[in-house]
Amino acid sequence: MIVNRPVRICVPVCEKTFAALKTAALKAAELGDMVELRLDGLDAAEFDSAIKHIAELVRSLLRPTIITLRPTEEGGYRDLDYSSRYAFWSSRSPHDDVEFFDIERDVVAGFTSSDNHSPVAPNWARTICSYHNFKGMPANLAEIYEQMANSPARILKIAVEAGDVTDCLPVFHLLDRARREGREMIAIAMGSSGIATRILGPSRGSFLTYGALENESATAPGQVEAHELKSLYRIQKIDLKTIICGLVGMPAVYSVSPHMHNAAFESGNVDGVYLPFEVRDVASFFKRMVHPRTREIDWNLRGLSVTAPHKASVLDCLDWIEPAAKEIGAVNTVVVEADTLRGYNTDAAGLVAPLVQSIGSLNGLRVAVIGAGGAASAAVWALQRQNANVSIFARDPEKGRSLADRFDISCQALAQISFTGFDVVVNATPVGSIAGGIKQTPATARQLTGARLIYDLVYNPGETELLRQASKAGCETLGGLDMLVAQARLQYKLWTGRTTNPSVMHGAATTALRG
Ligand code: NAP
């Protein structure tokens, strides 16, 4: 499959007044290769006068510009029936060779119907025939494509809501088909599960991809900001040879991992891209999109990070698992090696490295691990390898007991416990994180008094309530960011065979977390 097309980022703007539309469009033109003017966003009182100035605005943008008048049933902001849209497009002719019209397929069909004897028709060489479905993936997608492909419009656009990441497959298949049939096409899976189609679409032949001016100004669900498409994902450089890595999770889109790994690719001059995959059903994702022997897509997938809630269930999807990951019961890294999938756990080594750097040898130290989930399991396994004397503290005694029994260590209920005498207390719960309540802490200063170092695996926010309580109690502190970077560097090494300077990932994560 050879695709050699320019990568175009189109930045849509949708504003209530013409003045605001103009300001936004000028910014969009600086950022994107194309601009889309969403006229359906204009207030009714502004519409007629705005239309008179559109040609002038398009001229001033110095960018190919798409004019769109979207009805609400296709994701627009205005109730526009068929007749009003037909009348609007009948009265427009595109300005020079820079103006494109995005016309819904029902109106395109109206212009081309054998019953239509009007001599007026859009300039088909400037027309995008579009179909949007915000409810999900239509069962008759192929039929819709075929009907649209019969139209004289130069470009076809199909945008459908992805309920799961595997809904990207029919969208990628549409791009393949259009390319084989010599049709120019834009195909998008909307929603956070469809982000892969927005980032990889142009490399697979999509005429353009849409990028939001700012996060709040996205005109469709899952739209990535244009500046992120350019500087984070570097989509201008992605082609079919680019190695693809990504994060499998639910949710995955708020992670800082794309920032760290893409920065490492860029700094190491590696032709690679790392993107989020929001996955509900991990077995189906691995079968249909990941495993080289069963997947339904031809792509250069090299590796995956795995996060909650899939770290344990992913074990069933792999051909080989390193012994440590088996003992921990969790895989956070997958490597695609020829036609097999190999699983690793880099959390364990990533957790120990910054701790040893901070406190020295762990041999014989008393360590309390709070929590009984995946991170706690990796912590206990890794700390035992360092000959630490580990105990578990869990809110659910049954879960704590079951983890403690696996590693033959003691377990206590978390409530009201004093950590006096412990060398290290590790928080392996989400308590205190953005997701787990930033004002919460798994232990107070009173409970921590007399412990030496408090290690919070939570990295967002950087300074958690637990670390504040620890400082109050006179303890040393260590946050989770160093572990995040350490485990990511090990993943990068597994995928590329190379090392990356910790400052590259650290800087990228810190900037992303601040933003
Ligand atoms: P997990 O498998 O869901 O386990 C979470 C554990 O926390 C469970 O034992 C849970 O108890 C416990 N917990 C949740 N809320 C609690 C509360 N209010 N009080 C007491 N215990 C509570 O999650 P995980 O994968 O282990 O991750 C845990 C944390 O570590 C997350 O914040 C994650 O971001 C962080 N982490 C950081 C890194 C890093 O690189 N810095 C790497 C991995 C994980 P129940 O079982 O009773 O619900």
Side-chain angles (χ1 to χ4, degrees):
M1 175 167 76
I2 297 165
V3 179
N4 197 6
R5 290 204 173 133
V7 173
R8 300 182 185 96
I9 298 174
C10 177
V11 182
V13 291
C14 189
E15 299 290 343
K16 291 187 165 146
T17 65
F18 181 70
L21 188 75
K22 188 173 170 186
T23 307
L26 289 165
K27 273 198 225 160
E30 274 173 33
L31 201 56
D33 308 294
M34 296 181 73
V35 176
E36 181 187 33
L37 300 177
R38 286 285 301 267
L39 301 186
D40 48 290
L42 289 166
D43 280 341
E46 290 270 324
F47 192 79
D48 289 340
S49 73
I51 295 307
K52 291 193 191 113
H53 296 105
I54 287 295
E56 191 189 318
L57 174 57
V58 170
R59 238 187 334 265
S60 70
L61 295 177
L62 305 174
R63 288 271 183 276
T65 300
I66 302 170
I67 308 291
T68 300
L69 185 65
R70 191 82 72 229
T72 42
E73 62 270 26
E74 294 228 20
Y77 296 93
R78 260 182 152 213
D79 274 335
L80 291 156
D81 62 12
Y82 169 87
S83 314
S84 59
R85 285 179 291 128
Y86 183 92
F88 176 79
W89 293 117
S90 305
S91 65
R92 284 203 70 77
S93 57
H95 167 71
D96 298 342
D97 57 352
V98 291
E99 195 171 311
F100 289 84
F101 294 162
D102 177 328
I103 309 181
E104 294 76 38
R105 65 172 182 149
D106 60 339
V107 175
V108 169
F111 278 115
T112 53
S113 148
S114 52
D115 299 338
N116 185 346
H117 302 297
S118 159
V120 182
N123 178 342
W124 295 119
R126 307 261 116 219
T127 298
I128 301 167
C129 172
S130 68
Y131 166 81
H132 301 79
N133 190 325
F134 286 80
K135 295 201 186 102
M137 185 63 61
N140 60 340
L141 193 61
E143 205 180 294
I144 291 166
Y145 165 83
E146 281 154 21
Q147 185 236 329
M148 291 167 67
N150 275 331
S151 85
R154 171 176 156 196
I155 302 159
L156 312 177
K157 175 188 175 191
I158 291 185
V160 286
E161 182 77 18
D164 186 62
V165 66
T166 48
D167 285 339
C168 293
L169 284 170
V171 168
F172 284 137
H173 293 162
L174 272 185
L175 286 174
D176 292 345
R177 179 172 177 184
R179 203 184 50 253
R180 280 196 310 273
E181 295 175 0
R183 294 301 312 239
E184 289 181 288
M185 168 127 217
I186 303 160
I188 293 161
M190 296 184 289
S192 51
S193 298
I195 282 176
T197 62
R198 295 185 181 276
I199 297 169
L200 303 178
S203 67
R204 305 184 71 87
S206 190
F207 180 79
L208 59 75
T209 188
Y210 295 92
L213 194 54
E214 280 147 10
N215 211 359
E216 308 75 56
S217 66
T219 52
Q223 212 171 72
V224 180
E225 285 183 53
H227 85 89
E228 290 205 327
L229 288 173
K230 284 165 90 164
S231 54
L232 171 59
Y233 296 109
R234 295 175 299 133
I235 74 158
Q236 312 283 357
K237 293 197 171 154
I238 301 175
D239 62 24
L240 294 172
K241 295 188 300 307
T242 302
I243 63 169
I244 297 166
C245 295
L247 173 68
V248 179
M250 193 73 210
V253 289
Y254 307 110
S255 169
V256 296
S257 293
H259 295 267
M260 293 194 297
H261 284 290
N262 285 317
F265 283 146
E266 185 173 16
S267 122
N269 236 343
V270 173
D271 181 13
V273 63
Y274 182 104
L275 49 144
F277 294 108
E278 287 229 338
V279 173
R280 266 176 237 290
D281 179 345
V282 75
S284 162
F285 174 62
F286 269 70
K287 179 168 180 244
R288 300 189 61 201
M289 295 183 75
V290 178
H291 203 297
R293 292 199 292 267
T294 55
R295 68 189 177 200
E296 299 162 30
I297 178 170
D298 178 15
W299 60 357
N300 195 10
L301 190 68
R302 177 68 185 136
L304 295 166
S305 312
V306 184
T307 189
H310 301 310
K311 281 185 186 179
S313 48
V314 76
L315 268 78
D316 293 335
C317 308
L318 307 173
D319 301 298
W320 179 89
I321 298 159
E322 66 166 346
K326 264 193 206 160
E327 285 172 34
I328 294 164
V331 159
N332 78 328
T333 311
V334 174
V335 180
V336 183
E337 194 91 46
D339 68 345
T340 60
L341 298 181
R342 298 166 76 84
Y344 300 84
N345 187 305
T346 66
D347 278 340
L351 179 141
V352 162
L355 184 57
V356 168
Q357 202 170 7
S358 185
I359 203 170
S361 166
L362 301 173
N363 194 3
L365 297 195
R366 284 187 72 201
V367 182
V369 173
I370 305 175
S377 177
V380 174
W381 185 91
L383 292 163
Q384 279 196 326
R385 293 287 153 311
Q386 302 292 314
N387 294 320
N389 181 1
V390 189
S391 310
I392 284 180
F393 295 85
R395 70 169 170 188
D396 180 336
E398 228 172 273
K399 282 188 190 158
R401 170 65 33 223
S402 131
L403 178 61
D405 285 351
R406 269 175 53 211
F407 293 100
D408 198 19
I409 57 177
S410 72
C411 168
Q412 294 182 54
L414 180 57
Q416 300 307 316
I417 199 81
S418 163
F419 292 102
T420 301
F422 278 96
D423 296 292
V424 180
V425 178
V426 180
N427 175 33
T429 78
V431 180
S433 67
I434 298 273
I438 51 167
K439 294 206 170 122
Q440 311 290 311
T441 178
T444 60
R446 193 177 52 76
Q447 290 174 279
L448 298 172
T449 301
R452 181 175 161 195
L453 182 142
I454 312 305
Y455 185 7
D456 199 342
L457 303 193
V458 170
Y459 57 85
N460 190 11
E463 204 205 17
T464 58
E465 185 54 31
L466 174 66
L467 296 187
R468 272 193 289 275
Q469 295 288 324
S471 298
K472 226 194 252 179
C475 312
E476 296 166 43
T477 59
L478 179 60
L481 187 58
D482 288 346
M483 171 183 171
L484 185 75
V485 170
Q487 60 80 32
R489 288 180 70 220
L490 293 167
Q491 298 184 319
Y492 182 81
K493 177 99 198 290
L494 284 165
W495 298 328
T496 64
R498 301 191 192 187
T499 54
T500 183
N501 192 311
S503 65
V504 171
M505 286 192 170
H506 207 282
T510 307
T511 308
L513 289 169
R514 247 191 253 124

